[in-house]
Amino acid sequence: MARARLFEDEALEFAESIINTVREPLMSLDQDLRVVSVSRSFCRVFKVEPEETVGHLIYDLGNRQWDIPILRELLETILPEQTSFDDYEVEHEFADIGKRTMLLNARQIERASGKKRIILLAIEDITERKQIEAGLEEIRHELQQRTADLTAVNAELEAFAHSVSHDLRAPLRAIDGFSQALLEDYHDQLDAEGQSYLHRSAAAARRMGELIDDLLGLSRIARTDIVPETVDLSAIGREVVAELRQETPEREVEVVVAPGLLACGDAGMLRQALRNVLGNAWKYTAKAPVARIEMGGTMRDGETVVFVRDNGVGFDMTYSERIFEPFQRLHTVTEFPGSGIGLATVQRIIRRHGGRVWAEGKVNVGATVFFSLPPGGMER
Amino acid sequence: MSRGRAREDRVILLVEDNPDDEALTLRALTKANVVNRVIVVRDGAVALDYVFGRGEFAGRDVADLPGVVLLDLKLPRVGGLEVLKRIREDGRTKLMPVVVLTSSDEESDIISAYELGANSYVRKAVDYARFNAAVQQLGLYWMLLNERVSTRLDTGARPSPWFEPE
């Protein structure tokens, strides 16, 4: 008998230590729903002392704060029928600790040899989790809304570009075309001045056509998805220089391209960026006695920084921010041709890769354009 | 050439709603000494009427295919891509040369045109010199150089080298 008693004590001690170890608040009730024991975490979460609870009716705890209708139903109706219930979500406003959301689990434990049955009740306080979930849901909703907005804006941009592409070019072709037709077919009836006017209007129409092309190109960067891969910028740089040499064979330019500059990004877009940066250097060194262009860079912690330095006309650092805005030009079209969209294009490409573009320059000494590409080359 | 006409008798079907582009295209073809007759239709629905011998073209022999169709994309009533789709869906016209000639250089238009079976996609340049050169080359290539299927297409003719049906 004494042995059995000892065994029972040990079992009880073991059970209690489990109850006190589990992070979830736990309580055991007798069949009259009076508290037999409460776990430490129950006391902590619901701000009660064990002495205030043991022997009391569960509904009377904390000035009847636990007199919750749904809890009554669970303990008095559902539990006797089903001997257990799982994950019952209960929301209740407690006087001391405010509104709480709890997850209730209970087991009715039948005991042998006519002893009274006990009820084990686990109460998980999921208030914070619910709040986080609600917050996440809100963020998700907001994100969905923003994505929908962006998609709509993108579709509008797409439609706009499409319409520009189709409709804005045709009238320009007519101006250029009929001016040329006049020049060819009615050559004899126009004096030199008349012909020059026609040449001018035709040239203006062509120039506007180029501006439209450049604008569409710029908007296309925003509308195109980046396909990241490892890109050999040095190789692209050499190819671009070869293209430039082919296009203007009369130019003599010393070019040095440092080997092995790698970055992660969209090969097509990065080529376009380098084409613009090197093309600029090429263009603005046209008046230098000995034109020199150097492409180099550094690779550190996955980030690649590239520079393209030239000894061309340079620019006044006062305007170093403006040169990246579309249609901003620091030279007249007669000095140096162009639409003023090249560096804007570069900036848009590099920003879409999560990088940065900046420039340094000095009038009549030269310019250096820098851009950085972060590891991964993904969109921000 | 059982039913085929002599090269110079084949017509060019120009589907173009912009009168300026029409005039410039016709001028370019004339300057290139392309002597073929050019049928001009100004929207997609009339283009389909011509191709399938309906409406104002009722009674036209559908088997007498144009040498080439120069097809603009942005057209009133039925758009160019839809015209192309219906031409390719019909056994009588599915191998007819269709060249998309448009102002647009949007990737989506180019892909759609080729997916629907365009033989070629040529952008109308703003620069008239380039536009002129493109139209002249098109006229010369499709009317003089290109060899077309010589029998009726709906009697089991083999596909020509310039268009592989799916």
Side-chain angles (χ1 to χ4, degrees), chain B residues 82-94:
Chain B
E82 182 64 26
V83 170
L84 177 58
K85 184 165 165 267
R86 299 216 205 145
I87 286 174
R88 289 295 178 244
E89 278 168 357
D90 196 300
R92 296 168 298 177
T93 53
K94 67 177 182 186

Side-chain angles (χ1 to χ4, degrees), chain A residues 282-312:
Chain A
W282 196 267
K283 180 165 74 180
Y284 292 119
T285 50
K287 289 167 188 172
V290 184
R292 252 193 80 81
I293 297 170
E294 186 192 352
M295 174 176 160
T298 53
M299 293 190 287
R300 201 167 298 137
D301 304 326
E303 189 195 46
T304 305
V305 178
V306 176
F307 69 82
V308 172
R309 181 176 296 135
D310 67 61
N311 64 343

Side-chain angles (χ1 to χ4, degrees), chain A residues 162 167 169 173 176 185, chain B residues 21 27 74 103 109 128:
Chain A
H162 207 250
D167 301 334
R169 283 169 171 152
R173 179 165 50 252
D176 186 37
D185 302 351
Chain B
D21 279 351
R27 182 174 184 274
K74 213 174 179 203
S103 293
D109 283 336
Y128 182 63

